[in-house]
Amino acid sequence: MANERKTGVEGVHIVTSRKAGKPVRHYIYAWRGGPRIRTVEGGPKPTITKADIIAIGAALEAAKPVPKDTVAGLATSYRASPEWKALEASTRDTWGRALDKIEAKWGEVPLRLWCNPRMVTQIVKWRDSMAETPRAADIAIAQLTRLLEFARLRGQVTVNIASGIPTLYRNAQRAEIIWTDEDFATWNSHDKVVQSLRDVAALAAQTGLRRADLIGLTWSEIGDVAITRIARKKSRGKRRRVVMPILPTLQLLLDDLKTRPRKSGVETVLVTSHGTPWSGNGLSGSFGKAVRETDLHHVDSDGEKRWKHLHDIRGTYATKLMTAPGLNLTDKEIGNLMGWSPEQVAEIRAHYVDDAAIVVALGRRLLGA
């Protein structure tokens, strides 16, 4: 049975719970129907402390209605929209952090100011202030663009002034970055790389799957001649069906992965060192740390050092498809298989397959001369 008691502090609400065989509990709420700020076990009715008052003030501030005609109000509407709810949890996590940055910077700014072209300068200054983390800066700008487009489609702004702002992170140049045989040799021999991370890189190289599909792949999706899976990432609003041929090298790897210790009931092909499924953030954190400890990097044409990513192994898989005996796949066919454009495939082919073939041909000519 629960008994309510007055506290002597206006608005604060305390509920005392007495259950047979259990100690008395006092639940302190900021107000009737409001958030719980503290639980006290045993003893008489608790006294409201200075910390309680601070917590109540914070709760009252958080409960204030957000003006709908501000960026904060727009962000609240966006988070409640069908578009937001349709996103994958991992995407909401990444975009949510960007939204938090937007609200912290622009939350109180009225939406009417976003129709002024002069705000573009302010957005660029904000982008430049995050230049030390260019990828995060670009995600923040991209999310601001999505947010303003959400507002434009609902008549809250007349123009999306964040659209078209150049990115800082040179992602387009990553097409030339893949994992080489030397990279894999370093990765697989380094004492800082545990077996579960070696397994991730090996399966990525043999399937070309993205992170979400790698860690979500189950044994039931592996057939006699192919892996069939509905990709986690959407293309044009739909998830595409991924069919990966099981080449002999992949079959050997799968046979090996079956021997990994795993917790009862775990159906994923890849598991952590504890025999449990990977989480997206857990894998990204562990993989990125191991890459830095093994010093796996690419030096681009202007001498800049760029760490290699798990995603770069997809390019490695593309080269395997290009050079596998008997396959003779076109760039379009490989692109359809991997969800890439033929141009992306052609760039990798030119850099790692055609150039290598030219070098080999020249060597043979020189030896034959």
Side-chain angles (χ1 to χ4, degrees), residues 111-304:
L111 292 180
R112 67 177 184 275
L113 294 183
W114 294 92
C115 299
N116 189 332
R118 286 179 292 183
M119 279 295 291
V120 173
T121 303
Q122 299 303 316
I123 297 172
V124 172
K125 286 181 179 179
W126 183 51
R127 183 206 64 179
D128 292 348
S129 72
M130 299 180 282
E132 291 186 2
T133 54
R135 179 61 174 158
D138 289 346
I139 291 174
I141 296 299
Q143 191 56 39
L144 178 60
T145 303
R146 293 186 190 96
L147 188 63
L148 292 177
E149 185 63 13
F150 176 81
R152 189 188 69 81
L153 292 173
R154 286 157 178 78
Q156 293 176 277
V157 296
T158 57
V159 64
N160 186 346
I161 62 172
S163 177
I165 291 178
T167 59
L168 296 178
Y169 185 74
R170 291 174 295 166
N171 191 51
Q173 294 187 11
R174 293 208 72 88
E176 68 180 42
I177 305 177
I178 70 170
W179 282 46
T180 64
D181 291 341
E182 291 76 14
D183 292 330
F184 279 104
T186 300
W187 182 258
N188 291 326
S189 63
H190 202 285
D191 59 3
K192 292 293 185 179
V193 182
V194 296
Q195 184 61 50
S196 57
L197 288 176
R198 294 174 188 171
D199 290 342
V200 171
L203 188 60
Q206 294 293 339
T207 63
L209 292 172
R210 292 182 173 88
R211 185 193 70 174
D213 293 310
L214 279 171
I215 64 178
L217 183 66
T218 62
W219 290 108
S220 63
E221 295 169 316
I222 298 174
D224 294 333
V225 297
I227 294 174
T228 304
R229 177 174 174 78
I230 303 301
R232 295 293 294 173
K233 184 175 181 179
K234 293 181 179 179
S235 177
R236 296 184 179 91
K238 297 181 180 179
R239 292 192 179 96
R240 65 187 183 91
R241 185 167 174 262
V242 177
V243 180
M244 293 290 174
I246 299 179
L247 302 177
T249 51
L250 174 56
Q251 186 60 62
L252 290 173
L253 174 61
L254 292 172
D255 292 341
D256 188 35
L257 293 176
K258 287 179 181 177
T259 67
R260 300 290 182 262
R262 63 188 63 235
K263 298 288 186 181
S264 176
V266 174
E267 293 296 325
T268 54
V269 174
L270 293 173
V271 291
T272 67
S273 300
H274 303 291
T276 57
W278 283 101
S279 68
N281 289 337
L283 175 57
S284 293
S286 298
F287 204 92
K289 181 180 179 182
V291 164
R292 283 159 176 75
E293 288 176 333
T294 54
D295 195 31
L296 291 184
H297 65 274
H298 171 85
V299 179
D300 59 23
S301 57
D302 61 2
E304 184 178 348

Side-chain angles (χ1 to χ4, degrees), residues 339-359:
W340 284 351
S341 69
E343 290 75 20
Q344 286 177 284
V345 179
E347 188 170 353
I348 292 176
R349 185 188 291 274
H351 195 82
Y352 287 99
V353 179
D354 295 345
D355 285 358
I358 291 171
V359 170

Side-chain angles (χ1 to χ4, degrees), residues 2-6 13-18 32:
N3 299 320
E4 299 180 4
R5 297 188 179 184
K6 295 183 179 180
H13 184 56
I14 296 181
V15 175
T16 299
S17 175
R18 295 183 175 87
R32 186 183 295 274

